[in-house]
Amino acid sequence: MAVSKKEISACPIDAMLSVIDGRWKGTILWRLSEGPMRTSELHRTIPGITQRMLIRHLHELVQDGILERHQERSTPPCVRYSISKYGLTLLPVLEEICTWGRKHLALQAAG
């Protein structure tokens, strides 16, 4: 049975997956690992993501403490996102997931 975001699971794997679940969150984090980006810059680097979905995932990642949102006092307003110190602890996990994903894609292509 799936665990909803509102429920708290004692399982550490469920806890981690509840933070990075979503079609685009891994890609967003991977892009931001290169450095802070404006919303529009990030949108251009992720083909296929809608503006609405990008904003939704960014807000969820900020809420979970994974990203930081920086709004500059300018006209027009400029918002940049970066990975928080806490969020940086996810990067080794994402690297391992990426390595496994490459192996899995190769296995599927071979079979």
Side-chain angles (χ1 to χ4, degrees):
M1 177 167 165
V3 176
S4 78
K5 278 226 175 227
K6 295 179 184 178
E7 294 177 26
I8 297 174
S9 171
C11 176
I13 292 173
D14 286 345
M16 187 274 302
L17 290 175
S18 74
V19 173
I20 65 166
D21 73 342
R23 166 69 178 89
W24 302 103
K25 286 185 181 177
T27 305
I28 291 168
L29 290 168
W30 200 253
R31 296 290 189 224
L32 289 174
S33 70
E34 299 168 0
M37 294 179 120
R38 293 175 51 191
T39 309
S40 58
E41 293 173 302
L42 194 52
H43 187 249
R44 282 192 298 271
T45 67
I46 306 174
I49 192 170
T50 64
Q51 185 78 17
R52 181 178 178 211
M53 189 56 66
L54 174 62
I55 297 298
R56 178 179 168 194
H57 283 322
L58 288 171
H59 284 258
E60 288 175 2
L61 289 165
V62 168
Q63 185 177 14
D64 287 330
I66 305 303
L67 298 183
E68 293 177 346
R69 184 181 188 272
H70 311 275
Q71 184 167 350
E72 298 173 14
R73 297 183 190 267
S74 62
T75 306
C78 177
V79 177
R80 291 185 188 279
Y81 290 89
S82 63
I83 299 178
S84 69
K85 185 176 179 180
Y86 177 61
L88 290 173
T89 63
L90 265 177
L91 293 184
V93 175
L94 292 176
E95 288 174 13
E96 287 298 320
I97 290 170
C98 187
T99 299
W100 187 89
R102 284 187 187 112
K103 290 177 186 175
H104 184 67
L105 288 171
L107 181 66
Q108 284 185 323

